[in-house]
Amino acid sequence: MARAKQPKQIHQLTVPQFEAMFPDEEACCAYLVGKRWPKGVHCPRCGATEPTELKGNPWHWQCYECAPQTSYRFSHITGTIFENTNKPLRDWFKVIHLILTSKKGMSARQLWRYMGFGSLKTAWYMAHRVRAALADKEVDKLGGIVEVDETFVGGKAKNRHDRWGGGGTGGVGSGKAVVAGAVRRKGNVVARVIENVRAVTLERFVNEAVSHKVSLLITDQWVGYKHLNKEFPQHVTIDHARGDYVVGAIHTNTIEGFWSIFKRGVIGTFHNVSKKYLPLYVAEFQFRCNNRENVDIFGTAISGC
Ligand SMILES: [Zn+2]
């Protein structure tokens, strides 16, 4: 008899779990120190171990390695996104928790109301710093079966012509931003704002995101992908123009699923975002997607702060 289906492991903290983990500011400080320095506190400037604890000033240390005379003083938040703000860590943690648990993201306005901050600007600023922290510092190139596609975001409706007609190539002058994405089936997504959908730009993206050891590289028949075969003999295309959307394993439904969540977030939650901040939203959606089964998604997020 087949085994009973196991309930899916919960990877996001519930509010009661959050409250139990972080009852006060002290608990947040201790958690941050543990995530930041799992092998014990290090000087953020020179990396020296075992700095001296500053007496009477909890969560502060001084390092004599990089400043033997005067000592260099630092705290648990030195060099993190939490530095130079007057918000307690517990507020930051709540904001991060809210962002991570909202599938389509949370607008600054929502955060502002929910957190009861004095100004919208505070919420906006905090959310953007969190997004920057969620951005992957380094990306492992994708292998296995990989789908590549790109999508347009924003811009004036009259300029939003299809790339197949009207000669629309996005980028300069069109008012649209282009986001390129590559996803490994059942694996990670790499998404990035790019200049346009010309071949040279798309090829550069694919080379940065996809391993040459990929077993199958799937795109649609956009001319910009036409010459990928030179570097990726595993490249195959799906003919959307002919109405083909799935031919066996050859489809781009996975990346299109990611675009769908991303666009519902950008259009629905954020009511379109300026090109300037688009990379931050891309980073946020990429992080949530790539950590969708991470049982310590909150800890991973804090480690990047
Ligand atoms: Zn030092």
Side-chain angles (χ1 to χ4, degrees):
M1 198 178 140
R3 271 196 303 168
K5 203 178 172 192
Q6 295 297 311
K8 209 175 175 190
Q9 202 164 12
I10 298 163
H11 79 120
Q12 294 274 20
L13 296 171
T14 61
V15 170
Q17 284 169 329
F18 181 93
E19 298 290 337
M21 262 176 94
F22 306 112
D24 50 31
E25 188 68 6
E26 280 293 292
C28 297
C29 295
Y31 185 84
L32 175 62
V33 168
K35 284 288 167 193
R36 230 191 136 176
W37 296 298
K39 291 174 188 162
V41 180
H42 286 55
C43 170
R45 198 162 75 172
C46 73
T49 55
E50 296 176 17
T52 313
E53 277 183 51
L54 209 57
K55 289 204 173 60
N57 205 348
W59 312 110
H60 282 69
W61 295 266
Q62 46 194 159
C63 174
Y64 287 96
E65 289 292 322
C66 55
Q69 306 292 324
T70 53
S71 91
Y72 166 66
R73 292 183 175 196
F74 64 93
S75 78
H76 58 317
I77 57 171
T78 304
T80 68
I81 64 163
F82 314 120
E83 203 179 2
N84 306 322
T85 61
N86 56 8
K87 287 291 169 208
L89 260 191
R90 199 158 182 270
D91 278 358
W92 277 102
F93 280 21
K94 276 188 184 170
V95 165
I96 293 168
H97 183 234
L98 286 167
I99 289 175
L100 293 182
T101 48
S102 315
K103 192 176 182 186
K104 285 174 265 168
M106 193 174 259
S107 68
R109 196 163 285 276
Q110 264 175 298
L111 280 173
W112 174 43
R113 278 197 293 259
Y114 190 91
M115 295 296 295
F117 290 145
S119 75
L120 172 61
K121 208 177 168 187
T122 303
W124 186 89
Y125 172 81
M126 290 172 85
H128 269 354
R129 295 203 85 178
V130 170
R131 287 181 190 114
L134 297 181
D136 279 328
K137 277 78 195 169
E138 60 224 49
V139 184
D140 283 336
K141 289 193 176 187
L142 304 171
I145 299 178
V146 174
E147 303 170 18
V148 171
D149 191 20
E150 80 301 316
T151 194
F152 295 110
V153 179
K156 291 194 180 102
K158 70 182 171 77
N159 288 328
R160 214 181 286 167
H161 43 212
D162 189 64
R163 71 179 184 189
W164 298 96
T169 49
V172 186
S174 70
K176 293 173 290 191
V178 192
V179 184
V183 63
R184 177 184 181 146
R185 296 254 173 96
K186 295 190 172 74
N188 281 352
V189 62
V190 176
R192 197 172 296 165
V193 178
I194 58 171
E195 285 299 306
N196 52 55
V197 295
R198 295 187 187 107
V200 59
T201 315
L202 288 167
E203 281 165 18
R204 193 185 313 130
F205 168 76
V206 172
N207 271 294
E208 283 165 9
V210 182
S211 162
H212 282 88
K213 292 178 190 158
V214 67
S215 55
L216 202 58
L217 175 63
I218 307 160
T219 68
D220 59 28
Q221 290 192 323
W222 171 240
V223 63
Y225 297 119
K226 202 175 171 185
H227 300 296
L228 275 177
N229 306 44
K230 284 182 195 161
E231 285 202 65
F232 294 91
Q234 311 92 324
H235 179 220
V236 294
T237 60
I238 183 91
D239 191 355
H240 288 172
R242 230 182 53 191
D244 291 345
Y245 283 88
V246 179
V247 181
I250 317 296
H251 63 78
T252 51
N253 293 353
T254 320
I255 189 69
E256 279 158 29
F258 178 75
W259 294 146
S260 151
I261 294 168
F262 177 68
K263 290 200 148 182
R264 272 183 280 156
V266 165
I267 297 161
T269 309
F270 304 108
H271 308 292
N272 275 329
V273 302
S274 77
K275 265 187 183 178
K276 187 179 168 192
Y277 299 111
L278 189 58
L280 290 174
Y281 294 95
V282 172
E284 176 190 336
F285 279 79
Q286 178 178 305
F287 182 89
R288 265 197 305 267
C289 178
N290 291 350
N291 289 279
R292 63 195 180 276
E293 284 167 13
N294 178 357
V295 291
D296 189 26
I297 182 172
F298 187 80
T300 303
I302 295 295
S303 303
C305 288

